[in-house]
Amino acid sequence: MNELPPALQRYVLGVVALGCVLFVAVLALVPQDNIDLFALSFFFIVGLLTEIKVIKYSKDVSQTVSTAIFIAATFVLSPPGLLLVVVLASLLADIYLGKPWYKVLFNASLRVISFGIPAIFVAWFDLYPRWVVSVSYVLLGAMALGLYVVLTTCIIGVLLALSSHTPLRTGTQRTLTVFSLYDLPLLPYGIILAWLWYANIWLFL
């Protein structure tokens, strides 16, 4: 981590600290009733496998399809269950891929923030899949996805700006460009997977 600029070091540690606080707060304060061990295990295993399978588009651009899996889990699992799944999957995948410790912690913290806050929003407004939906349900669901997009774009945008010594606006624009091309198309798949899980687990498979 010493090779990083001081400002970037402080930012990485700040995101890690915020992620840890949110993780502990959700596990301690949000009630976890009727734990579904099958759902937890399923989303963890699939999330881990998709995190490990990195798709390289170019020298600088790569992604995994875990976004779709974790979006589905956001609309299926409770916030504590979701955070356990995304943290464990992210940590184990990055350790397996041999990433530096600070990247391992940063990536896990990024997922805690970008998925954890939307998960709290989903739980608060009870946006879990159902057969009969209203306009407000659809709008609130779209807002939950919007939260994920904004949080991810902001956190990564600042990271890119600090690492490339460019203005924040430039880093955010670069993040939005990459996000719209590679991650944004995965969001509808996540919603579809959540509904398939609700309708019939075997359709999900």
Side-chain angles (χ1 to χ4, degrees):
M1 187 168 177
N2 291 331
E3 68 272 15
L4 301 179
L8 185 55
Q9 292 184 31
R10 291 192 294 271
Y11 178 70
V12 169
L13 292 176
V15 171
V16 170
L18 180 59
C20 290
V21 169
L22 180 60
F23 180 78
V24 172
V26 169
L27 263 61
L29 301 177
V30 178
Q32 170 73 338
D33 301 323
N34 301 321
I35 299 175
D36 189 342
L37 292 178
F38 176 75
L40 286 173
S41 301
F42 179 84
F43 281 105
F44 165 68
I45 294 171
V46 177
L48 175 61
L49 293 177
T50 52
E51 281 276 80
I52 290 174
K53 182 60 177 178
V54 179
I55 303 171
K56 296 284 288 186
Y57 294 105
S58 67
K59 180 180 178 181
D60 300 320
V61 179
S62 63
Q63 75 162 159
T64 71
V65 296
S66 62
T67 297
I69 301 302
F70 293 148
I71 286 293
T74 300
F75 286 87
V76 172
L77 303 176
S78 66
L82 171 74
L83 289 190
L84 286 173
V85 166
V86 297
V87 166
L88 288 175
S90 178
L91 288 175
L92 292 176
D94 283 350
I95 292 172
Y96 173 81
L97 294 172
K99 294 183 180 181
W101 66 268
Y102 57 90
K103 289 187 178 181
V104 173
L105 295 179
F106 179 86
N107 288 339
S109 300
L110 168 63
R111 282 161 174 73
V112 167
I113 299 168
S114 61
F115 287 106
I117 293 177
I120 294 171
F121 187 89
V122 168
W124 182 269
F125 290 101
D126 190 18
L127 300 177
Y128 299 107
R130 62 191 67 172
W131 291 119
V132 179
V133 300
S134 62
V135 174
S136 62
Y137 175 90
V138 174
L139 292 176
L140 288 170
M143 288 176 63
L145 294 178
L147 277 174
Y148 168 76
V149 173
V150 170
L151 290 167
T152 303
T153 301
C154 289
I155 294 172
I156 298 298
V158 174
L159 180 73
L160 289 179
L162 291 174
S163 61
S164 59
H165 303 286
T166 56
L168 178 60
R169 180 178 178 181
T170 302
T172 304
Q173 288 176 338
R174 287 176 56 194
T175 305
L176 275 173
T177 300
V178 174
F179 188 93
S180 62
L181 288 174
Y182 302 106
D183 276 87
L184 196 60
L186 294 175
L187 301 189
Y189 287 105
I191 297 299
I192 292 171
L193 291 175
W195 276 86
L196 290 176
W197 183 276
Y198 173 74
N200 190 318
I201 293 175
W202 298 110
L203 292 176
F204 188 103
L205 302 174

Coordinates of all heavy atoms in Angstrom, one line a residue, residues 67-148:
T67 N -22.4 -9.0 -10.2 CA -23.4 -7.9 -9.9 C -24.8 -8.4 -10.0 O -25.7 -8.0 -9.2 CB -23.1 -6.7 -10.9 OG1 -21.8 -6.2 -10.7 CG2 -24.2 -5.6 -10.7
A68 N -25.1 -9.2 -11.1 CA -26.5 -9.7 -11.3 C -26.9 -10.6 -10.1 O -28.0 -10.5 -9.6 CB -26.6 -10.4 -12.6
I69 N -25.9 -11.4 -9.6 CA -26.2 -12.3 -8.5 C -26.5 -11.5 -7.2 O -27.5 -11.8 -6.5 CB -25.1 -13.3 -8.3 CG1 -24.8 -14.1 -9.6 CG2 -25.4 -14.2 -7.1 CD1 -26.0 -14.9 -10.1
F70 N -25.7 -10.5 -7.0 CA -25.8 -9.8 -5.7 C -27.1 -8.8 -5.8 O -27.7 -8.6 -4.7 CB -24.6 -9.0 -5.4 CG -23.4 -9.8 -5.1 CD1 -22.1 -9.5 -5.4 CD2 -23.5 -11.1 -4.5 CE1 -21.0 -10.2 -5.2 CE2 -22.5 -11.9 -4.2 CZ -21.2 -11.5 -4.5
I71 N -27.4 -8.3 -7.0 CA -28.6 -7.6 -7.1 C -29.8 -8.5 -6.8 O -30.8 -8.1 -6.1 CB -28.8 -6.9 -8.5 CG1 -27.8 -5.8 -8.7 CG2 -30.2 -6.5 -8.8 CD1 -28.1 -4.6 -7.8
A72 N -29.8 -9.7 -7.3 CA -30.9 -10.6 -7.0 C -31.0 -10.9 -5.5 O -32.1 -10.9 -4.9 CB -30.7 -11.9 -7.8
A73 N -29.8 -11.1 -4.9 CA -29.8 -11.4 -3.5 C -30.3 -10.2 -2.7 O -30.9 -10.4 -1.6 CB -28.3 -11.7 -3.1
T74 N -30.1 -9.0 -3.2 CA -30.6 -7.8 -2.5 C -32.1 -7.8 -2.4 O -32.7 -7.3 -1.4 CB -30.2 -6.5 -3.3 OG1 -28.7 -6.5 -3.3 CG2 -30.7 -5.2 -2.6
F75 N -32.8 -8.4 -3.4 CA -34.2 -8.4 -3.4 C -34.8 -9.8 -2.8 O -36.0 -10.0 -2.9 CB -34.8 -8.2 -4.8 CG -34.7 -6.7 -5.2 CD1 -33.5 -6.3 -5.8 CD2 -35.7 -5.9 -5.0 CE1 -33.4 -4.9 -6.2 CE2 -35.6 -4.5 -5.4 CZ -34.5 -4.1 -6.0
V76 N -33.9 -10.6 -2.3 CA -34.3 -11.9 -1.8 C -33.9 -12.0 -0.3 O -34.7 -12.5 0.5 CB -33.7 -13.1 -2.6 CG1 -33.9 -14.4 -1.9 CG2 -34.2 -13.1 -4.0
L77 N -32.7 -11.7 0.1 CA -32.2 -11.8 1.4 C -32.4 -10.6 2.3 O -32.6 -9.5 1.8 CB -30.7 -12.1 1.4 CG -30.2 -13.3 0.5 CD1 -28.7 -13.4 0.5 CD2 -30.8 -14.6 1.1
S78 N -32.4 -10.8 3.6 CA -32.5 -9.7 4.5 C -31.1 -8.9 4.4 O -30.1 -9.5 4.0 CB -32.7 -10.2 5.9 OG -31.6 -10.9 6.4
P79 N -31.0 -7.7 4.9 CA -29.7 -6.9 4.8 C -28.6 -7.7 5.5 O -27.5 -7.8 4.9 CB -30.1 -5.6 5.5 CG -31.5 -5.4 5.2 CD -32.1 -6.8 5.2
P80 N -28.8 -8.2 6.7 CA -27.7 -9.0 7.3 C -27.2 -10.2 6.5 O -26.0 -10.4 6.3 CB -28.2 -9.4 8.7 CG -29.3 -8.4 9.0 CD -29.9 -8.1 7.7
G81 N -28.2 -10.9 6.0 CA -27.8 -12.1 5.2 C -27.1 -11.7 3.9 O -26.1 -12.3 3.5
L82 N -27.6 -10.6 3.3 CA -26.9 -10.1 2.1 C -25.5 -9.7 2.3 O -24.6 -10.1 1.6 CB -27.7 -8.9 1.5 CG -27.0 -8.2 0.3 CD1 -27.1 -9.1 -0.9 CD2 -27.5 -6.9 0.1
L83 N -25.3 -9.0 3.4 CA -23.9 -8.5 3.7 C -23.0 -9.7 4.0 O -21.8 -9.6 3.6 CB -23.9 -7.5 4.8 CG -24.5 -6.1 4.5 CD1 -24.3 -5.2 5.7 CD2 -24.0 -5.6 3.2
L84 N -23.4 -10.7 4.7 CA -22.6 -11.8 4.9 C -22.2 -12.5 3.6 O -21.1 -12.9 3.4 CB -23.4 -12.8 5.8 CG -23.5 -12.5 7.3 CD1 -24.4 -13.5 8.0 CD2 -22.1 -12.4 7.9
V85 N -23.2 -12.6 2.7 CA -22.9 -13.2 1.4 C -21.9 -12.4 0.6 O -20.9 -13.0 0.1 CB -24.2 -13.4 0.6 CG1 -23.9 -13.7 -0.9 CG2 -25.1 -14.5 1.2
V86 N -22.1 -11.1 0.4 CA -21.2 -10.3 -0.5 C -19.8 -10.2 0.1 O -18.8 -10.2 -0.6 CB -21.9 -9.0 -0.8 CG1 -23.2 -9.1 -1.5 CG2 -22.0 -8.1 0.5
V87 N -19.8 -10.0 1.5 CA -18.5 -9.9 2.1 C -17.6 -11.2 2.0 O -16.5 -11.1 1.6 CB -18.6 -9.5 3.6 CG1 -17.3 -9.6 4.3 CG2 -19.1 -8.0 3.7
L88 N -18.2 -12.3 2.3 CA -17.5 -13.5 2.3 C -17.1 -13.9 0.8 O -16.0 -14.3 0.6 CB -18.3 -14.7 2.9 CG -18.5 -14.6 4.4 CD1 -19.4 -15.7 4.9 CD2 -17.1 -14.8 5.1
A89 N -18.0 -13.7 -0.1 CA -17.7 -14.0 -1.5 C -16.6 -13.1 -2.0 O -15.7 -13.6 -2.7 CB -19.0 -13.9 -2.4
S90 N -16.7 -11.8 -1.7 CA -15.7 -10.9 -2.2 C -14.3 -11.2 -1.6 O -13.3 -11.2 -2.3 CB -16.1 -9.4 -1.9 OG -15.1 -8.5 -2.3
L91 N -14.3 -11.4 -0.3 CA -13.0 -11.6 0.4 C -12.3 -12.9 -0.1 O -11.1 -12.9 -0.5 CB -13.2 -11.7 1.9 CG -13.5 -10.4 2.7 CD1 -13.8 -10.8 4.1 CD2 -12.4 -9.5 2.6
L92 N -13.1 -14.0 -0.2 CA -12.5 -15.2 -0.6 C -12.1 -15.2 -2.0 O -11.0 -15.8 -2.4 CB -13.5 -16.4 -0.3 CG -13.8 -16.7 1.1 CD1 -14.9 -17.8 1.2 CD2 -12.5 -17.1 1.9
A93 N -12.9 -14.6 -2.9 CA -12.5 -14.5 -4.3 C -11.2 -13.7 -4.5 O -10.3 -14.1 -5.3 CB -13.7 -13.9 -5.1
D94 N -11.1 -12.6 -3.9 CA -10.0 -11.7 -4.1 C -8.7 -12.3 -3.5 O -7.6 -12.2 -4.0 CB -10.2 -10.3 -3.4 CG -11.1 -9.5 -4.3 OD1 -11.3 -9.8 -5.5 OD2 -11.5 -8.4 -3.8
I95 N -8.9 -13.0 -2.3 CA -7.7 -13.8 -1.7 C -7.3 -14.9 -2.7 O -6.1 -15.1 -2.9 CB -8.1 -14.3 -0.4 CG1 -8.3 -13.2 0.6 CG2 -7.0 -15.3 0.1 CD1 -8.8 -13.6 2.0
Y96 N -8.2 -15.6 -3.3 CA -7.9 -16.6 -4.2 C -7.2 -16.1 -5.4 O -6.3 -16.7 -6.0 CB -9.2 -17.3 -4.6 CG -9.0 -18.4 -5.7 CD1 -8.6 -19.6 -5.5 CD2 -9.3 -18.0 -7.1 CE1 -8.4 -20.6 -6.5 CE2 -9.1 -19.0 -8.1 CZ -8.7 -20.2 -7.8 OH -8.5 -21.2 -8.8
L97 N -7.6 -14.9 -5.9 CA -7.0 -14.3 -7.1 C -5.7 -13.6 -6.8 O -5.0 -13.1 -7.7 CB -8.0 -13.3 -7.7 CG -9.3 -13.9 -8.3 CD1 -10.2 -12.8 -8.7 CD2 -9.0 -14.8 -9.5
G98 N -5.3 -13.6 -5.5 CA -4.0 -13.1 -5.1 C -3.9 -11.6 -5.1 O -2.8 -11.0 -5.3
K99 N -5.0 -10.9 -4.9 CA -4.9 -9.4 -4.9 C -4.3 -8.9 -3.6 O -4.3 -9.6 -2.5 CB -6.3 -8.8 -5.0 CG -7.0 -9.1 -6.3 CD -8.3 -8.5 -6.4 CE -9.0 -8.8 -7.8 NZ -10.3 -8.1 -7.9
P100 N -3.7 -7.7 -3.6 CA -3.1 -7.1 -2.4 C -4.1 -6.9 -1.3 O -5.3 -6.7 -1.6 CB -2.5 -5.8 -2.8 CG -2.4 -5.9 -4.3 CD -3.4 -6.9 -4.8
W101 N -3.7 -7.0 0.0 CA -4.6 -6.9 1.1 C -5.5 -5.7 1.1 O -6.7 -5.8 1.4 CB -3.9 -7.0 2.4 CG -3.0 -5.8 2.7 CD1 -1.7 -5.7 2.4 CD2 -3.4 -4.6 3.3 NE1 -1.2 -4.4 2.8 CE2 -2.2 -3.8 3.4 CE3 -4.6 -4.1 3.9 CZ2 -2.3 -2.5 4.0 CZ3 -4.6 -2.9 4.5 CH2 -3.5 -2.0 4.5
Y102 N -5.0 -4.6 0.6 CA -5.8 -3.3 0.7 C -6.8 -3.4 -0.4 O -7.9 -2.8 -0.2 CB -4.9 -2.1 0.6 CG -4.0 -2.0 -0.7 CD1 -4.5 -1.4 -1.8 CD2 -2.7 -2.5 -0.6 CE1 -3.7 -1.4 -3.0 CE2 -1.9 -2.4 -1.7 CZ -2.4 -1.9 -2.9 OH -1.6 -1.8 -4.0
K103 N -6.6 -4.0 -1.5 CA -7.6 -4.2 -2.6 C -8.7 -5.2 -2.1 O -9.9 -5.0 -2.4 CB -7.0 -4.7 -3.9 CG -6.1 -3.6 -4.6 CD -5.7 -4.1 -6.0 CE -4.9 -3.0 -6.7 NZ -4.5 -3.5 -8.1
V104 N -8.3 -6.2 -1.4 CA -9.2 -7.2 -0.9 C -10.2 -6.5 0.1 O -11.4 -6.6 -0.1 CB -8.5 -8.3 -0.1 CG1 -9.5 -9.2 0.6 CG2 -7.6 -9.1 -1.1
L105 N -9.7 -5.7 1.0 CA -10.5 -5.0 2.0 C -11.4 -3.9 1.3 O -12.5 -3.7 1.6 CB -9.7 -4.4 3.1 CG -8.9 -5.4 4.0 CD1 -8.1 -4.6 5.0 CD2 -9.9 -6.3 4.6
F106 N -10.8 -3.1 0.3 CA -11.5 -2.1 -0.4 C -12.7 -2.7 -1.2 O -13.8 -2.1 -1.1 CB -10.6 -1.3 -1.3 CG -11.3 -0.2 -2.0 CD1 -11.4 1.1 -1.5 CD2 -11.8 -0.4 -3.3 CE1 -12.0 2.1 -2.1 CE2 -12.4 0.6 -4.0 CZ -12.6 1.9 -3.4
N107 N -12.4 -3.7 -1.9 CA -13.5 -4.3 -2.7 C -14.6 -4.8 -1.8 O -15.8 -4.7 -2.2 CB -12.9 -5.5 -3.6 CG -12.1 -5.0 -4.7 OD1 -12.2 -3.8 -5.1 ND2 -11.2 -5.8 -5.2
A108 N -14.3 -5.5 -0.7 CA -15.3 -6.0 0.2 C -16.1 -4.8 0.8 O -17.4 -4.8 0.9 CB -14.7 -6.8 1.3
S109 N -15.4 -3.7 1.2 CA -16.1 -2.6 1.7 C -17.0 -1.9 0.7 O -18.0 -1.4 1.0 CB -15.0 -1.6 2.3 OG -14.3 -2.2 3.3
L110 N -16.5 -1.8 -0.5 CA -17.3 -1.2 -1.6 C -18.6 -1.9 -1.8 O -19.7 -1.3 -1.9 CB -16.5 -1.3 -2.9 CG -17.3 -1.0 -4.2 CD1 -17.8 0.5 -4.2 CD2 -16.4 -1.2 -5.4
R111 N -18.5 -3.3 -1.7 CA -19.8 -4.1 -1.8 C -20.7 -3.9 -0.6 O -21.9 -3.9 -0.8 CB -19.4 -5.5 -2.1 CG -19.0 -5.8 -3.5 CD -18.2 -7.1 -3.7 NE -17.9 -7.4 -5.0 CZ -17.0 -6.8 -5.8 NH1 -16.3 -5.8 -5.3 NH2 -16.8 -7.1 -7.0
V112 N -20.1 -3.8 0.5 CA -20.9 -3.5 1.7 C -21.7 -2.2 1.6 O -22.9 -2.2 1.9 CB -20.0 -3.5 3.0 CG1 -20.8 -2.9 4.2 CG2 -19.5 -4.8 3.3
I113 N -21.1 -1.2 1.1 CA -21.7 0.1 1.0 C -22.7 0.1 -0.2 O -23.9 0.5 -0.1 CB -20.7 1.2 0.8 CG1 -19.8 1.3 2.0 CG2 -21.4 2.6 0.5 CD1 -18.6 2.2 1.8
S114 N -22.3 -0.4 -1.4 CA -23.1 -0.2 -2.6 C -24.2 -1.2 -2.6 O -25.3 -0.9 -3.3 CB -22.2 -0.4 -3.8 OG -21.6 -1.7 -3.9
F115 N -24.1 -2.3 -1.9 CA -25.3 -3.3 -1.9 C -26.0 -3.2 -0.5 O -27.2 -3.4 -0.5 CB -24.8 -4.7 -2.1 CG -24.4 -5.1 -3.5 CD1 -23.1 -5.2 -3.8 CD2 -25.4 -5.2 -4.5 CE1 -22.7 -5.5 -5.1 CE2 -25.0 -5.5 -5.8 CZ -23.7 -5.6 -6.1
G116 N -25.3 -2.8 0.5 CA -25.9 -2.8 1.9 C -26.9 -1.7 2.0 O -28.0 -1.9 2.5
I117 N -26.6 -0.5 1.5 CA -27.6 0.6 1.6 C -28.8 0.3 0.8 O -30.0 0.5 1.3 CB -26.9 1.9 1.3 CG1 -25.9 2.3 2.4 CG2 -27.9 3.1 1.2 CD1 -25.1 3.5 2.1
P118 N -28.7 -0.1 -0.5 CA -30.0 -0.5 -1.2 C -30.7 -1.6 -0.5 O -32.0 -1.6 -0.5 CB -29.4 -0.9 -2.6 CG -28.2 -0.2 -2.7 CD -27.6 -0.1 -1.3
A119 N -30.0 -2.6 0.1 CA -30.7 -3.7 0.8 C -31.5 -3.1 2.0 O -32.6 -3.6 2.2 CB -29.7 -4.7 1.3
I120 N -31.0 -2.2 2.7 CA -31.7 -1.6 3.8 C -33.0 -0.8 3.2 O -34.1 -0.9 3.8 CB -30.9 -0.6 4.6 CG1 -29.7 -1.3 5.3 CG2 -31.7 0.2 5.6 CD1 -28.7 -0.4 5.9
F121 N -32.8 -0.2 2.1 CA -33.9 0.5 1.4 C -35.0 -0.5 1.0 O -36.2 -0.3 1.2 CB -33.4 1.3 0.2 CG -34.4 2.1 -0.5 CD1 -34.5 3.5 -0.1 CD2 -35.2 1.7 -1.5 CE1 -35.5 4.3 -0.7 CE2 -36.1 2.5 -2.2 CZ -36.2 3.8 -1.8
V122 N -34.6 -1.6 0.5 CA -35.5 -2.7 0.0 C -36.3 -3.2 1.2 O -37.5 -3.4 1.2 CB -34.8 -3.8 -0.7 CG1 -35.7 -5.0 -0.9 CG2 -34.3 -3.3 -2.1
A123 N -35.6 -3.5 2.3 CA -36.2 -4.0 3.5 C -37.2 -3.0 4.2 O -38.2 -3.4 4.6 CB -35.1 -4.5 4.5
W124 N -36.7 -1.8 4.2 CA -37.6 -0.7 4.8 C -38.9 -0.6 4.1 O -39.9 -0.4 4.8 CB -36.8 0.6 4.8 CG -37.5 1.7 5.5 CD1 -38.3 2.6 4.9 CD2 -37.4 2.1 6.9 NE1 -38.8 3.5 5.8 CE2 -38.3 3.2 7.0 CE3 -36.7 1.6 8.0 CZ2 -38.4 3.8 8.3 CZ3 -36.9 2.2 9.2 CH2 -37.7 3.3 9.3
F125 N -38.9 -0.6 2.8 CA -40.1 -0.4 2.0 C -40.8 -1.7 1.6 O -41.7 -1.7 0.8 CB -39.9 0.5 0.8 CG -39.6 1.9 1.2 CD1 -38.3 2.4 1.2 CD2 -40.6 2.8 1.5 CE1 -38.0 3.7 1.5 CE2 -40.4 4.1 1.8 CZ -39.0 4.6 1.8
D126 N -40.2 -2.8 2.1 CA -40.7 -4.2 1.7 C -40.8 -4.3 0.2 O -41.9 -4.6 -0.3 CB -42.1 -4.4 2.4 CG -42.5 -5.9 2.3 OD1 -41.7 -6.7 2.0 OD2 -43.7 -6.1 2.4
L127 N -39.7 -4.2 -0.5 CA -39.7 -4.3 -1.9 C -39.4 -5.7 -2.5 O -38.9 -5.9 -3.6 CB -38.7 -3.3 -2.5 CG -39.0 -1.8 -2.2 CD1 -37.9 -0.9 -2.7 CD2 -40.4 -1.4 -2.7
Y128 N -39.5 -6.7 -1.6 CA -39.3 -8.1 -2.1 C -40.3 -8.5 -3.1 O -41.4 -8.0 -3.1 CB -39.3 -9.0 -0.8 CG -38.2 -8.6 0.2 CD1 -38.5 -8.0 1.4 CD2 -36.9 -8.8 -0.1 CE1 -37.6 -7.7 2.3 CE2 -35.9 -8.5 0.8 CZ -36.2 -7.9 2.0 OH -35.3 -7.5 2.9
P129 N -39.9 -9.4 -4.0 CA -40.8 -9.8 -5.1 C -42.2 -10.3 -4.6 O -42.3 -10.9 -3.6 CB -40.1 -11.0 -5.8 CG -38.6 -10.7 -5.5 CD -38.6 -10.1 -4.1
R130 N -43.2 -9.9 -5.4 CA -44.6 -10.3 -5.1 C -45.4 -10.3 -6.4 O -44.9 -9.8 -7.4 CB -45.3 -9.3 -4.1 CG -45.4 -7.9 -4.7 CD -45.7 -6.9 -3.7 NE -44.7 -6.7 -2.7 CZ -44.7 -5.8 -1.7 NH1 -45.7 -4.9 -1.7 NH2 -43.7 -5.7 -0.9
W131 N -46.5 -11.0 -6.4 CA -47.3 -11.1 -7.7 C -48.0 -9.8 -8.1 O -48.1 -9.5 -9.2 CB -48.3 -12.3 -7.5 CG -47.6 -13.6 -7.5 CD1 -47.7 -14.5 -6.4 CD2 -46.8 -14.2 -8.4 NE1 -47.0 -15.6 -6.7 CE2 -46.4 -15.5 -7.9 CE3 -46.3 -13.8 -9.7 CZ2 -45.5 -16.3 -8.6 CZ3 -45.5 -14.7 -10.4 CH2 -45.1 -15.9 -9.9
V132 N -48.5 -9.1 -7.1 CA -49.3 -7.9 -7.4 C -48.4 -6.7 -6.9 O -48.0 -6.6 -5.8 CB -50.6 -7.9 -6.6 CG1 -51.4 -6.6 -6.9 CG2 -51.5 -9.1 -7.0
V133 N -48.1 -5.8 -7.9 CA -47.3 -4.7 -7.6 C -48.0 -3.4 -8.0 O -49.0 -3.4 -8.8 CB -46.0 -4.7 -8.4 CG1 -45.2 -6.0 -8.0 CG2 -46.2 -4.7 -9.9
S134 N -47.6 -2.3 -7.4 CA -48.2 -1.0 -7.6 C -47.2 -0.1 -8.3 O -46.0 -0.5 -8.4 CB -48.6 -0.3 -6.3 OG -47.5 -0.1 -5.5
V135 N -47.6 1.1 -8.7 CA -46.7 2.0 -9.3 C -45.6 2.5 -8.3 O -44.4 2.6 -8.7 CB -47.5 3.3 -9.9 CG1 -46.5 4.3 -10.4 CG2 -48.4 2.9 -11.0
S136 N -46.0 2.7 -7.1 CA -45.1 3.1 -6.1 C -44.0 2.0 -5.8 O -42.9 2.3 -5.6 CB -45.8 3.4 -4.8 OG -46.5 2.3 -4.3
Y137 N -44.5 0.7 -5.9 CA -43.5 -0.4 -5.7 C -42.5 -0.4 -6.8 O -41.3 -0.5 -6.5 CB -44.3 -1.7 -5.7 CG -43.4 -2.9 -5.7 CD1 -43.1 -3.5 -4.5 CD2 -43.0 -3.5 -6.9 CE1 -42.3 -4.7 -4.5 CE2 -42.2 -4.7 -6.9 CZ -41.9 -5.2 -5.6 OH -41.1 -6.4 -5.6
V138 N -42.9 -0.1 -8.0 CA -41.9 -0.1 -9.2 C -41.0 1.1 -9.0 O -39.8 0.9 -9.2 CB -42.7 0.0 -10.5 CG1 -41.7 0.1 -11.7 CG2 -43.5 -1.3 -10.7
L139 N -41.5 2.2 -8.7 CA -40.7 3.4 -8.5 C -39.7 3.3 -7.4 O -38.5 3.6 -7.6 CB -41.6 4.6 -8.3 CG -42.5 5.1 -9.5 CD1 -43.3 6.3 -9.0 CD2 -41.6 5.5 -10.7
L140 N -40.1 2.7 -6.3 CA -39.2 2.5 -5.2 C -38.1 1.5 -5.5 O -37.0 1.6 -5.1 CB -40.0 2.1 -3.9 CG -40.8 3.2 -3.3 CD1 -41.7 2.6 -2.2 CD2 -39.9 4.3 -2.6
G141 N -38.5 0.4 -6.3 CA -37.6 -0.6 -6.7 C -36.5 0.1 -7.6 O -35.3 -0.2 -7.5
A142 N -37.0 1.0 -8.5 CA -36.0 1.7 -9.4 C -35.1 2.6 -8.6 O -33.9 2.7 -8.9 CB -36.8 2.5 -10.4
M143 N -35.6 3.2 -7.5 CA -34.8 4.0 -6.6 C -33.7 3.2 -5.9 O -32.6 3.6 -5.7 CB -35.7 4.7 -5.6 CG -36.5 5.8 -6.2 SD -37.6 6.6 -5.0 CE -36.4 7.3 -3.8
A144 N -34.1 1.9 -5.5 CA -33.1 1.1 -4.9 C -31.9 0.7 -5.8 O -30.8 0.8 -5.5 CB -33.8 -0.2 -4.4
L145 N -32.3 0.5 -7.1 CA -31.2 0.2 -8.1 C -30.4 1.5 -8.3 O -29.2 1.5 -8.5 CB -31.9 -0.2 -9.4 CG -32.5 -1.6 -9.4 CD1 -33.2 -1.9 -10.7 CD2 -31.6 -2.7 -9.0
G146 N -31.1 2.7 -8.3 CA -30.4 3.9 -8.5 C -29.4 4.2 -7.4 O -28.3 4.7 -7.6
L147 N -29.8 3.8 -6.2 CA -28.9 3.9 -5.1 C -27.6 3.2 -5.3 O -26.5 3.6 -5.1 CB -29.5 3.4 -3.8 CG -30.4 4.4 -3.0 CD1 -31.1 3.7 -1.8 CD2 -29.6 5.6 -2.5
Y148 N -27.7 1.9 -5.8 CA -26.6 1.1 -6.1 C -25.7 1.8 -7.2 O -24.5 1.9 -7.1 CB -27.0 -0.3 -6.6 CG -25.9 -1.0 -7.3 CD1 -24.9 -1.6 -6.5 CD2 -25.7 -1.1 -8.6 CE1 -23.8 -2.3 -7.0 CE2 -24.7 -1.8 -9.2 CZ -23.7 -2.4 -8.4 OH -22.6 -3.1 -8.9

